[in-house]
Amino acid sequence: MSTEQGMRLRADAQRNRDQIIAAAKRAFLHGGTDQPMEEIARLAGVGIGTLYRRFPDREALVRAVAQDNFGALADEARAALAEEETSWDALVRLLGRSTDLRLSLRLSLLSPAAWHAIHDDPEIVRHRTEILELLDEIVRGAQAEGALRADVGTGDIAVLGSLLLRPGPGRDEMLARAMAVILDGLRAAPGTALPGHAVGLQDMITSLKT
Amino acid sequence: MSTEQGMRLRADAQRNRDQIIAAAKRAFLHGGTDQPMEEIARLAGVGIGTLYRRFPDREALVRAVAQDNFGALADEARAALAEEETSWDALVRLLGRSTDLRLSLRLSLLSPAAWHAIHDDPEIVRHRTEILELLDEIVRGAQAEGALRADVGTGDIAVLGSLLLRPGPGRDEMLARAMAVILDGLRAAPGTALPGHAVGLQDMITSLKT
DNA sequence: TGGAAGTGGATGAAACGCTTCCGGTTAAAT
DNA sequence: ATTTAACCGGAAGCGTTTCATCCACTTCCA
């Protein structure tokens, strides 16, 4: 949360920095990364000057939020894998409960402005790679358990996850039902063959770079 | 397509009007309803002045596009119901192939600016109601056929459809696979009970008004 | 062919967001 | 308690973007 280069911030400055990131998370989640800087400052309860001293421009802020968020998501994926009984449960947990996942998707997919900030930063790329590898492990595990149908790949799961997590309307209860339907579709014993071939981890990574 | 109040337009004017609406559809589909008016004019191959004479402000343009589009979607739903062998097939056709559906969703869900334009216009509301009623008929039909699981409602289908059609990344082939998974989840013989209760037509209409 | 209808883009106005700057404030070291 | 370097807030300036109008020119059609 406070990974900074060198200098240690004064207590109030550190507090403000955290508040700014938290506010930016909320703002980005709600309205995308081109939300006015002033609005983010307002949400954080700090002046616009404070925001700009800490983050010289929008890209720096986006990058900081992305670091924070992809890191949290990697933690969550690791926790799901470690704590859940089965890989299938880990998958369900990851698809269903993750706010961090939601924001990460917005960041990586929905905002052209955020693209560079994210793809240029090695730490973020590392986190993203780890996340995908963990997801891959979970997917393979769930298939080995016989819980997850064998003809889907990690990329397919990522796509389905992204569908559930995109911003939009629909109350949570409705989304929970939609997820249950999707999970039924993901269980072993497919009704029909899927078109094309499974989208694997590598395909997904490749497609992210496009 | 040319439903106008009273005056009949000159041939070239009518042509331009159609081109503007077509361009606006493309622009809105790609970038949302707050795309610059000038960009729409450029896409349509007309001057900005022409656009403004025909549609005094953005709201008028949005309304015209929405009328056109919801009408087309209603036609498509009617055609699906009439032409497909089974209601299940009609459902698949509607969920899978509809660009009009995609744009309608963008219009009705994604753009705060468009909200008023759409909800104030009785013709659009009428179309939307008809669309939902047709969907309801298709859903009930597919359930009567035993093809669609009985514990989902029209609202559930609408939610799942909206998931598939929201803007976002993912190549079409990937989305086709995602849809196939969802369809497997929708077939009869559910794996597990869905949480909550089925979201019916009325629930959906109510939720649209919020 | 007359003239009403239509066209397009230059243009001014206005809104918006970015960023700087500096007088005042506060944390923390002594 | 005093000092001071770090920090704060937000007013103000600037550049950009978009809206919406207007009018000299063009096109359609009776």
Side-chain angles (χ1 to χ4, degrees), chain A residues 12-30:
Chain A
D12 53 346
Q14 180 64 51
R15 190 178 340 117
N16 280 337
R17 186 181 189 279
D18 293 344
Q19 282 172 358
I20 290 169
I21 291 204
K25 274 188 172 184
R26 271 177 285 145
F28 290 172
L29 189 53
H30 184 266

Side-chain angles (χ1 to χ4, degrees), chain B residues 4-116:
Chain B
E4 262 334 88
Q5 65 286 15
M7 273 303 289
R8 193 175 166 79
L9 293 173
R10 221 170 70 177
D12 53 345
Q14 180 64 51
R15 192 178 338 117
N16 280 338
R17 186 182 190 278
D18 292 346
Q19 283 171 356
I20 289 171
I21 290 203
K25 273 187 172 183
R26 271 178 284 145
F28 290 170
L29 190 54
H30 183 267
T33 52
D34 41 6
Q35 208 82 173
M37 297 293 255
E38 204 158 19
E39 169 71 6
I40 294 167
R42 205 186 50 76
L43 280 173
V46 305
I48 182 69
T50 303
L51 197 164
Y52 269 98
R53 183 165 339 90
R54 216 50 70 197
F55 307 98
D57 53 27
R58 160 168 266 107
E59 186 172 317
L61 176 60
V62 170
R63 187 180 305 119
V65 170
Q67 279 182 3
D68 189 284
N69 205 72
F70 277 66
L73 181 53
D75 291 345
E76 181 148 349
R78 232 177 284 114
L81 194 55
E83 294 169 14
E84 297 299 325
E85 285 283 317
T86 64
S87 291
W88 173 263
D89 289 334
L91 183 61
V92 172
R93 166 167 162 181
L94 216 52
L95 287 182
R97 299 204 210 298
S98 172
T99 312
D100 290 320
L101 182 52
R102 190 176 256 117
L103 178 53
S104 298
L105 275 161
R106 279 209 87 131
L107 288 177
S108 54
L109 305 177
L110 236 69
S111 160
W115 205 89
H116 279 100

Side-chain angles (χ1 to χ4, degrees), chain A:
Chain A
M1 207 68 76
S2 59
T3 34
E4 263 331 271
Q5 66 285 17
M7 272 304 288
R8 196 178 162 76
L9 293 173
R10 221 171 71 175
D12 53 346
Q14 180 64 51
R15 190 178 340 117
N16 280 337
R17 186 181 189 279
D18 293 344
Q19 282 172 358
I20 290 169
I21 291 204
K25 274 188 172 184
R26 271 177 285 145
F28 290 172
L29 189 53
H30 184 266
T33 52
D34 41 6
Q35 206 82 173
M37 296 294 253
E38 206 157 18
E39 169 72 4
I40 294 167
R42 206 185 50 74
L43 280 174
V46 304
I48 183 69
T50 303
L51 197 166
Y52 268 96
R53 186 166 335 93
R54 214 52 68 197
F55 307 98
D57 53 26
R58 157 170 269 107
E59 185 172 317
L61 177 59
V62 171
R63 188 182 303 120
V65 170
Q67 279 182 5
D68 189 285
N69 205 73
F70 277 64
L73 181 54
D75 291 346
E76 182 149 348
R78 231 178 285 114
L81 195 56
E83 293 169 13
E84 297 298 325
E85 285 282 319
T86 65
S87 291
W88 173 263
D89 289 334
L91 183 60
V92 172
R93 167 166 162 181
L94 216 52
L95 287 182
R97 299 204 210 297
S98 173
T99 311
D100 289 320
L101 182 52
R102 190 178 255 115
L103 178 53
S104 298
L105 277 161
R106 278 210 87 130
L107 288 176
S108 53
L109 306 175
L110 237 68
S111 160
W115 205 89
H116 280 99
I118 288 176
H119 289 256
D120 290 353
D121 187 299
E123 183 178 347
I124 296 177
V125 170
R126 188 161 45 75
H127 277 147
R128 201 190 59 192
T129 306
E130 185 190 355
I131 292 164
L132 284 173
E133 285 170 354
L134 285 165
L135 180 60
D136 196 50
E137 194 174 334
I138 291 173
V139 166
R140 291 174 192 278
Q143 286 172 331
E145 290 163 2
L148 176 66
R149 61 196 289 175
D151 58 351
V152 297
T154 301
D156 291 312
I157 301 295
V159 169
L160 284 164
S162 85
L163 294 185
L164 279 169
L165 294 170
R166 285 195 205 147
R171 293 210 270 288
D172 282 352
E173 58 187 82
M174 290 189 185
L175 278 183
R177 291 175 57 80
M179 184 173 118
V181 169
I182 291 178
L183 287 176
D184 275 350
L186 282 175
R187 284 174 216 283
T192 54
L194 298 182
H197 57 69
V199 181
L201 177 61
Q202 285 311 318
D203 302 318
M204 194 62 201
I205 292 176
T206 306
S207 125
L208 279 179
K209 288 182 180 152
T210 311

Side-chain angles (χ1 to χ4, degrees), chain B residues 117-128:
Chain B
I118 289 176
H119 290 256
D120 288 354
D121 189 298
E123 182 178 348
I124 297 177
V125 170
R126 189 161 45 76
H127 278 146
R128 200 189 59 192

